[in-house]
Amino acid sequence: MQTRTLGSTGPVVSALGLGAMGMTAGAYGPADRAESIATVHAALDAGVTLIDTSDHYGTGHNEMLVAEALRGRDRDDYLLSVKFGAMVGPGGVFLGQDNRPAAVKDRLAHSLTRLGVDHVDVYRPARLDPEVPIEDTIGAIKEMVDAGYVRHVGLSEVGAETIRRAHAVHPIADLQIEYSLVSRAVEAEVLPVLRELGIGMTAYGVLSRGLISGHWNPDAVRPGDHRAMLPRFSGDNGRHNLALVEAVRRIADGRGCTVAQLAIAWVAAQGPDIVPLAGARTRERLSEALPALDVRLTAEDLAAIEAAVPAGSARGDRYPAAMMASVGVGN
């Protein structure tokens, strides 16, 4: 397994991480617990060391699933990236973000218990809390670093100004943010600031929640799959975006790889400071994602991809309007 370093102060991790969100029900419809655990095992066996979860995925069940999958593994063989602060009510209703210093420590205690570990490798607020200065939140995480419960501090879905303010309190290892062929807003301001400050990026949504995986079929949406409510997947937007996928497919066919592999390879090719997260829920999807690390894109390949899917060519926001208000950058 190839490795990359999260920024100038972060840990060395596998060049491809595993995002666990979809492994519990509530995001993409029903989930198969046994298959999810088998997928984590397969990822670890393949050399994947970075596993990303959050305390609000499945209202805590995702962390418990990850804990079950990691049971018996050497703690030095994997790194846990954990988001916190998103509040969810019964029925999955989003209630906002709580990044108060006391909440930081409370949520961390619950995560450590559910995960069955004595420390988290990277701890990060899931979103910005407009009521709490980022300095206060990062200061509380710093206290947990000093106490040995957290190894590194991360951020998620925040803009350039917030990154600077947070980094002034404690070195930030990485920013977790959506980045893909069809989500490139980070390139204008955020990515340059990350590189100026020596902060890495863990890129989620590299397949745009399956939209550019080459497998998406809008007629196969299952009950509970929130993608049915995302602007990029619906109506004319969805049809337009799937036409972009077909343009990518022609390039992938010429390279002898799948659409998903080409899309992941494109993200990885944007710099050695970027670690793509594969949100694989099954061993089949994981097996497809792993070879993407061996797809070496030439300048000609990158130019062809840019011509097929220029920045800003996707239609529709990546979240509904209410959720877009909570992220630090746009599409």
Side-chain angles (χ1 to χ4, degrees):
M1 171 61 67
Q2 303 166 37
T3 60
R4 296 188 172 191
T5 303
L6 293 183
S8 59
T9 63
V12 175
V13 301
S14 53
L16 183 73
L18 179 66
M21 183 182 77
M23 293 182 176
T24 44
Y28 303 125
D32 185 326
R33 185 177 185 85
E35 179 61 26
S36 296
I37 290 173
T39 301
V40 175
H41 289 168
L44 293 170
D45 292 343
V48 173
T49 60
L50 180 64
I51 300 175
D52 180 77
T53 183
S54 176
D55 62 11
H56 79 280
Y57 292 166
T59 56
H61 283 87
N62 197 266
E63 290 181 320
M64 291 188 285
L65 182 148
V66 169
E68 183 176 346
L70 295 176
R71 191 169 298 135
R73 300 275 179 164
D74 191 311
R75 183 63 181 88
D76 293 332
D77 289 344
Y78 60 87
L79 296 96
L80 290 169
S81 164
V82 179
K83 295 182 290 295
F84 71 88
M87 298 184 293
V88 180
V93 178
F94 180 65
L95 302 175
Q97 183 79 15
D98 186 357
N99 291 354
R100 294 171 301 152
V104 170
K105 299 170 186 178
D106 173 74
R107 301 294 281 267
L108 176 60
H110 285 279
S111 286
L112 292 172
T113 298
R114 283 192 291 260
L115 289 164
V117 296
D118 62 3
H119 71 275
V120 166
D121 297 285
V122 187
Y123 201 51
R124 69 183 84 241
R127 293 289 187 271
L128 188 66
D129 183 343
E131 303 299 322
V132 180
I134 191 64
E135 291 85 354
D136 294 353
T137 302
I138 300 303
I141 304 176
K142 180 181 183 300
E143 291 180 30
M144 297 296 92
V145 172
D146 294 340
Y149 296 115
V150 172
R151 294 288 188 264
H152 303 278
V153 183
L155 293 170
S156 176
E157 282 289 355
V158 295
E161 179 187 356
T162 300
I163 294 167
R164 290 188 185 280
R165 290 169 53 194
H167 192 68
V169 177
H170 186 279
I172 302 299
D174 73 306
L175 170 71
Q176 186 175 122
I177 198 162
E178 186 165 352
Y179 188 36
S180 73
L181 277 170
V182 295
S183 296
R184 296 173 59 177
V186 298
E187 294 175 345
E189 295 183 2
V190 169
L191 191 51
V193 168
L194 295 180
R195 287 172 172 163
E196 173 193 337
L197 299 177
I199 299 172
M201 178 197 292
T202 44
Y204 78 89
V206 293
L207 299 180
S208 194
R209 298 167 183 82
L211 179 63
I212 59 171
S213 66
H215 304 295
W216 173 251
N217 178 2
D219 296 327
V221 177
R222 297 181 296 174
D225 191 328
H226 81 292
R227 288 175 291 190
M229 299 181 293
L230 298 182
R232 283 194 174 168
F233 286 79
S234 59
D236 290 340
N237 289 344
R239 286 185 284 274
H240 169 84
N241 295 333
L242 286 178
L244 297 178
V245 174
E246 292 311 304
V248 174
R249 192 187 305 276
R250 288 191 287 273
I251 300 171
D253 288 346
R255 283 301 314 268
C257 64
T258 69
V259 173
Q261 289 164 356
L262 191 76
I264 295 170
W266 181 89
V267 173
Q270 302 313 301
D273 50 352
I274 300 174
V275 176
L277 294 175
R281 298 199 295 166
T282 65
R283 285 167 288 181
E284 179 182 7
R285 291 290 177 255
L286 176 68
S287 295
E288 181 181 16
L290 288 169
L293 297 177
D294 297 321
V295 177
R296 296 286 185 261
L297 299 178
T298 66
E300 291 76 14
D301 292 330
L302 293 171
I305 294 169
E306 182 69 24
V309 190
S313 58
R315 291 182 184 171
D317 288 339
R318 53 194 178 101
Y319 291 115
M323 292 185 67
M324 285 298 294
S326 71
V327 299
V329 296
N331 294 315

